[in-house]
Amino acid sequence: LSKEGLNACLLQDIAALEAQAKTADGKQKVALYSELAQKWDDVARPIPQGYLYMEMAELSPKYEYWLNAGNAFRAGYTNQQDTALASELTRLAIKSYEEALALDPNSLPAKTGLGAGLVTGSMNPMAGIALLREVVAVEPKNVEANKTLGTFSMQSQQYDKAIERFKTVIEVQPDAETYFYLAAAYVKIGLKNEAISAYQKSKELAADPSLSQYIDRQIEELSK
């Protein structure tokens, strides 16, 4: 499935590396898996990357390998349409981040990833929220932690809190998605002008025709 739509040359490279890895010893295998992970990164396919980093971490337990595995699985489950696959990738992301934290208990990226995974796909979202709050207590402008806390505030209808989180994200790293969420939060509390402004910023940054059409319709509604 991961190999669908790849060019023949890249497929050959991947097949050759996979064949070499089958007969390689531990250290050599890790180097080959690292090369393979890079190939998948080049074509933005995070799921096979996640499995490779996990294999690397099991062969040579390093914090970086577990963190990279968690990040790849997290990228894989975000916006994943297949719910069974999303659930499995979330489980693997949580496991990977837990392993990373066992090796570096103060790692903010691992705490952020684990917090996001627990919020998204576990029976204990509040444990995830607690971890994310730990991150922002140490690093108040942490983009990932604030974004995740903001989306959770939206889900729990705490729109004022969501707005504060999204404003923090935009201050550091403005992106179309965060402006879109910010606009939606403004709509919920009836701040139409602020919502229109945030939607316009989202449209500028996204440069996505289908999103632009949706935003234009939202702005039209809000302008009535």
Side-chain angles (χ1 to χ4, degrees):
L1 195 65
S2 304
K3 294 178 181 175
E4 275 178 21
L6 298 185
N7 73 53
C9 197
L10 182 60
L11 284 171
Q12 268 183 322
D13 287 352
I14 288 169
L17 287 166
E18 284 173 343
Q20 279 176 268
K22 275 180 187 163
T23 56
D25 63 13
K27 209 170 184 180
Q28 206 182 358
K29 196 170 263 197
V30 169
L32 289 162
Y33 282 158
S34 178
E35 223 178 308
L36 270 167
Q38 189 54 56
K39 297 272 182 205
W40 288 115
D41 190 45
D42 292 344
V43 288
R45 304 277 171 110
I47 299 170
Q49 253 188 299
Y51 285 107
L52 285 161
Y53 280 123
M54 197 162 75
E55 293 267 1
M56 287 160 70
E58 279 163 1
L59 287 164
S60 170
K62 282 188 184 170
Y63 159 78
E64 292 82 11
Y65 296 161
W66 282 120
L67 182 69
N68 287 342
N71 290 343
F73 288 131
R74 187 175 168 207
Y77 76 64
T78 305
N79 305 322
Q80 176 61 245
Q81 300 304 309
D82 179 334
T83 49
L85 179 58
S87 172
E88 175 60 7
L89 293 172
T90 306
R91 185 187 71 77
L92 290 169
I94 289 169
K95 172 186 157 57
S96 301
Y97 287 128
E98 284 172 344
E99 295 282 358
L101 277 172
L103 293 167
D104 181 357
N106 297 316
S107 163
L108 295 184
K111 278 186 186 181
T112 304
L114 179 58
L118 291 170
V119 168
T120 309
S122 81
M123 303 306 284
N124 194 2
M126 290 321 291
I129 295 293
L131 272 172
L132 293 165
R133 285 192 179 136
E134 268 182 51
V135 173
V136 293
V138 178
E139 200 176 86
K141 293 190 185 295
N142 184 291
V143 167
E144 284 299 317
N146 276 295
K147 194 184 271 195
T148 309
L149 285 166
T151 50
F152 192 75
S153 294
M154 288 288 284
Q155 287 161 15
S156 52
Q157 299 179 359
Q158 299 175 73
Y159 302 117
D160 289 339
K161 281 187 183 176
I163 287 165
E164 287 314 306
R165 296 290 182 196
F166 295 141
K167 278 181 169 176
T168 301
V169 173
I170 282 161
E171 215 180 294
V172 183
Q173 193 180 297
D175 66 274
E177 184 183 49
T178 307
Y179 270 114
F180 188 87
Y181 286 143
L182 179 62
Y186 279 137
V187 169
K188 292 290 186 186
I189 60 169
L191 292 176
K192 289 186 177 183
N193 291 338
E194 287 83 347
I196 289 169
S197 171
Y199 271 135
Q200 282 167 337
K201 290 295 285 181
S202 178
K203 181 178 164 180
E204 278 168 35
L205 290 166
D208 173 342
S210 57
L211 182 66
S212 294
Q213 286 169 359
Y214 176 82
I215 286 174
D216 287 342
R217 286 199 298 276
Q218 295 300 107
I219 291 173
E220 201 179 312
E221 279 299 308
L222 291 166
S223 304
K224 283 178 180 173

